[in-house]
C-alpha cells in the first residue's frame, strides 16, 4: 500500500480539462517537492512536472501542477488522445527516507 | 542526446543475485549528475531502489538497503545494480534514470526498462 493516494482512474473527452489528485501527509507532500510522471503503455515514465509546479523543457503548458498542504494536483487542459496514460505523483518522504510514489491514475481520453 | 539502456538476465532463480547494467550514451558519467534505479512490478506502481552520484556516493531505499548495491563504472560509462537473495516479489521491470539537474528528486531521462522474472 502506497503512502500516497491517487484515484485509480479518470476519464474525459478530448478537449476537456481534468485534474488528478495526490493525497499524502506532512512527511511527504507536506514538506517536500512533488513530481509528476506520465507513463504511456509499455514505456518508461516521463517527467511532466517537478518541484510542485514546474514544467521541464518540451512539456506543453497544458500540463500544470499545484500543491496545498498535504495534497498535490496535476491538471491537464485541452485533453488529447495522446495524453492517455498512467500518471504518478512522487515526492520524497522524510519519514521513510525514500522517494515514494502514488499508486497511479489511469487517464482515459474517451 | 543522452540515452540510457538497461541490460541483464531476464530470468533469475530465487535466492540468487539479480545483476543489471545501465549503459549511458551521449554523456560522460564522470562529469556529474545523480543516477537512479527504479522498478515496477507487473501491473503495479513505481518503486525507488536507490541512487548514485558520479563520485560513487550512494543512497538506498531503506526497504531494500540490506540487499542492494549500486555502483558506477566510469571506464565503461555505466551504472550497475545488484540485488541479492531475490524472491518472486522482486519480479519487475527495472529502470535506470538520470536525476534532473534542476530538481532534488525528479528524474528526467529514463532507460526503456528491462523485465526481470524471478522463478525457478
Amino acid at each position: 500500500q502506497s503512502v500516497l493516494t491517487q484515484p485509480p482512474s479518470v476519464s474525459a473527452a478530448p478537449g476537456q480539462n481534468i485534474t488528478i489528485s495526490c493525497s499524502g501527509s506532512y512527511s511527504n507532500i507536506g514538506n517536500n517537492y512533488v513530481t509528476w510522471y506520465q507513463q504511456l503503455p509499455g514505456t518508461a515514465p516521463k517527467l511532466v512536472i517537478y518541484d510542485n509546479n514546474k514544467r521541464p523543457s518540451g512539456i506543453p503548458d497544458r500540463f500544470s501542477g499545484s500543491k496545498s498542504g498535504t495534497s498535490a494536483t496535476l491538471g491537464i487542459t485541452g485533453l488529447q488522445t495522446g495524453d492517455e496514460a498512467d500518471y504518478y505523483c512522487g515526492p520524497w518522504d522524510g519519514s521513510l527516507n525514500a522517494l515514494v510514489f502514488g499508486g497511479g491514475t489511469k487517464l482515459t481520453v474517451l | 542526446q543522452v540515452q540510457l539502456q538497461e541490460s541483464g538476465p531476464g530470468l533469475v532463480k530465487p535466492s540468487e543475485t539479480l545483476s543489471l547494467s545501465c549503459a549511458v550514451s551521449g554523456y560522460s558519467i564522470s562529469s556529474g549528475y545523480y543516477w537512479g534505479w527504479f522498478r515496477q512490478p507487473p501491473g503495479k506502481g513505481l518503486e525507488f531502489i536507490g541512487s548514485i552520484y558520479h563520485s560513487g556516493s550512494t543512497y538506498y531505499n531503506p526497504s531494500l538497503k540490506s540487499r542492494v548495491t549500486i555502483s558506477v563504472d566510469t571506464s565503461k560509462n555505466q551504472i550497475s545494480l545488484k540485488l541479492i537473495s531475490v524472491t518472486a516479489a522482486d519480479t519487475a521491470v527495472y529502470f535506470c534514470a538520470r536525476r534532473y539537474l534542476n530538481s532534488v528528486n525528479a528524474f528526467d531521462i529514463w532507460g526503456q526498462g528491462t523485465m526481470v522474472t524471478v522463478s525457478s
Side-chain angles (χ1 to χ4, degrees), chain A:
Chain A
Q1 290 285 44
S2 176
V3 296
L4 303 170
T5 302
Q6 295 182 235
S9 63
V10 170
S11 61
Q16 292 190 325
N17 305 332
I18 63 98
T19 60
I20 296 173
S21 61
C22 177
S23 178
S25 66
Y26 177 78
S27 66
N28 42 67
I29 293 176
N31 205 32
N32 294 284
Y33 287 120
V34 178
T35 302
W36 289 91
Y37 295 95
Q38 174 196 67
Q39 188 175 32
L40 299 172
T43 69
K46 177 182 180 180
L47 179 66
V48 293
I49 294 290
Y50 70 97
D51 291 0
N52 301 334
N53 55 17
K54 298 176 183 175
R55 283 177 288 105
S57 174
I59 300 301
D61 59 7
R62 299 188 300 106
F63 289 81
S64 64
S66 64
K67 188 180 92 168
S68 178
T70 59
S71 293
T73 301
L74 173 71
I76 309 176
T77 60
L79 274 177
Q80 301 175 0
T81 55
D83 297 331
E84 194 163 279
D86 293 326
Y87 290 84
Y88 293 92
C89 58
W92 181 264
D93 189 296
S95 292
L96 298 175
N97 285 315
L99 275 175
V100 293
F101 293 92
T105 298
K106 182 176 181 60
L107 170 62
T108 301
V109 181
L110 303 169

Side-chain angles (χ1 to χ4, degrees), chain B residues 40-104:
Chain B
Q40 186 172 34
K44 297 188 177 180
L46 296 162
E47 181 179 26
F48 170 69
I49 298 172
S51 62
I52 187 165
Y53 193 47
H54 71 98
S55 62
S57 63
T58 54
Y59 184 83
Y60 302 129
N61 188 328
S63 68
L64 295 167
K65 185 176 182 178
S66 63
R67 298 195 294 131
V68 172
T69 302
I70 296 174
S71 59
V72 60
D73 187 334
T74 54
S75 65
K76 295 182 180 179
N77 213 43
Q78 68 181 31
I79 62 172
S80 299
L81 170 70
K82 288 190 188 303
L83 182 65
I84 66 171
S85 306
V86 298
T87 69
D90 296 310
T91 294
V93 176
Y94 285 76
F95 298 98
C96 59
R98 189 187 76 173
R99 201 180 84 179
Y100 191 43
L101 189 61
N102 297 339
S103 174
V104 296

